């Protein structure tokens, strides 16, 4: 397995523009997480999906952020409109929760470094 | 919700010394406690984890201890090497994880 795949790896955009980050979880995993990492706030959970359903979105900063998971192999995180304070590294992670192979371990993707000018 | 405190924020040791990083958590329902290592510009990677039904776990030079009564857990690295230099994160939870703020470990040759 190629692991969790994220695209793009780097994104530079101007304030006010729409940004879409993409994630492909590990095949067979049923849970997907979006995190944001900054020096000031550390690693923050934005949203958690289980079986493609959003379970916990309490970490989503505001209405400018939205996330979808249309199927088990794809998720997007969208920021519209983007602001300079959204600059961060965004990680996607996946895991298998429940069932005989359940072990909770979250596998992280390589991240998307977002810079909003 | 869960709150995880991690100390120290930075730790400098000489090669061959031991390093200890400590974390406390607040939610007694948490039952999974992983530790991640993140090198500069890389993704966090799991190095060891422990569950609430176990008090200690060891894997070669790294070990983790858990005290559920006191709600704290620790990472121990023995015989440190320069390649152990990185940021280490503790986390607590179950399906979702709350991460500590990280410890930057610097191992000097």
């Amino acid at each position: 397995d190629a692991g969790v795949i994220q695209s793009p790896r780097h994104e530079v955009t101007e304030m006010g523009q729409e940004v879409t980050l993409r994630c492909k979880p590990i095949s067979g995993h049923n849970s997907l997480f979006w995190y944001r990492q900054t020096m000031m706030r550390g690693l923050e959970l934005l949203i958690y999906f289980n079986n493609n359903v959003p379970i916990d979105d309490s970490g989503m900063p505001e209405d400018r952020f939205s996330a979808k998971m249309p199927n088990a192999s794809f998720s997007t995180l969208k920021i519209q409109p983007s602001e300079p304070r959204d600059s961060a590294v965004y990680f996607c992670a996946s895991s298998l929760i429940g069932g005989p192979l359940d072990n909770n371990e979250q596998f992280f993707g390589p991240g998307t470094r977002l810079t909003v000018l | 919700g869960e709150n995880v405190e991690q100390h120290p924020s930075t730790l400098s040791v000489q090669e061959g010394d031991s390093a200890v990083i400590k974390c406390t958590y607040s939610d007694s329902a948490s039952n999974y406690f992983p530790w991640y290592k993140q090198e500069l510009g890389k993704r966090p990677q799991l190095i060891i984890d422990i569950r609430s039904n176990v008090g200690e776990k060891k894997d070669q030079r790294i070990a983790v201890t858990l005290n559920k009564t006191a709600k704290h857990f620790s990472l121990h690295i023995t015989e440190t090497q320069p390649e152990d230099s990185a940021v280490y994160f503790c986390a607590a939870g179950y399906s979702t994880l709350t991460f500590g703020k990280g410890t930057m470990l610097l191992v000097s040759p």
Side-chain angles (χ1 to χ4, degrees):
Chain A
D1 198 317
V4 176
I5 298 172
Q6 291 187 245
S7 65
R9 295 292 307 277
H10 302 273
E11 177 80 31
V12 180
T13 190
E14 292 187 347
M15 183 174 61
Q17 296 297 306
E18 176 181 303
V19 175
T20 299
L21 312 181
R22 297 173 175 80
C23 176
K24 176 179 169 55
I26 292 172
S27 178
H29 281 187
N30 61 4
S31 296
L32 183 139
F33 310 83
W34 282 100
Y35 290 93
R36 178 172 66 178
Q37 186 175 40
T38 60
M39 288 294 292
M40 290 298 295
R41 300 175 69 90
L43 199 57
E44 303 173 278
L45 176 66
L46 299 178
I47 188 168
Y48 156 50
F49 291 89
N50 182 258
N51 292 321
N52 312 336
V53 176
I55 304 299
D56 182 358
D57 65 354
S58 58
M60 295 288 265
E62 47 198 275
D63 292 346
R64 297 185 298 107
F65 286 68
S66 62
K68 294 182 179 179
M69 192 164 186
N71 57 62
S73 59
F74 184 65
S75 177
T76 59
L77 178 67
K78 183 180 292 186
I79 307 172
Q80 179 184 24
S82 58
E83 296 182 2
R85 59 191 169 120
D86 301 329
S87 298
V89 179
Y90 291 81
F91 287 103
C92 175
S94 72
S95 70
L96 177 63
I97 295 177
L101 300 180
D102 172 21
N103 70 355
N104 302 108
E105 178 180 356
Q106 292 188 18
F107 295 81
F108 282 75
T112 295
R113 182 173 295 276
L114 173 65
T115 302
V116 183
L117 303 174
Chain B
E2 178 64 275
N3 182 48
V4 177
E5 299 285 338
Q6 182 172 348
H7 299 280
S9 56
T10 58
L11 180 58
S12 294
V13 299
Q14 292 289 322
E15 182 177 2
D17 288 349
S18 294
V20 180
I21 302 170
K22 299 182 179 182
C23 289
T24 60
Y25 62 100
S26 61
D27 189 347
S28 57
S30 291
N31 63 0
Y32 177 59
F33 307 91
W35 287 86
Y36 283 82
K37 176 183 180 182
Q38 186 177 27
E39 297 177 344
L40 188 62
K42 305 289 187 180
R43 75 191 78 185
Q45 293 198 298
L46 181 75
I47 56 171
I48 195 168
D49 57 13
I50 193 167
R51 298 174 195 284
S52 58
N53 58 347
V54 175
E56 184 174 357
K57 184 176 178 181
K58 189 173 182 179
D59 182 4
Q60 298 183 0
R61 295 187 298 108
I62 60 174
V64 58
T65 59
L66 170 66
N67 183 326
K68 283 215 74 180
T69 302
K71 294 195 184 70
H72 65 70
F73 56 114
S74 301
L75 176 71
H76 304 251
I77 305 174
T78 59
E79 301 173 24
T80 54
Q81 301 167 3
E83 51 265 39
D84 294 329
S85 296
V87 179
Y88 292 80
F89 293 94
C90 64
Y94 174 60
S95 51
T96 62
L97 295 174
T98 300
F99 284 80
K101 289 291 192 285
T103 296
M104 180 176 292
L105 174 64
L106 177 61
V107 181
S108 303

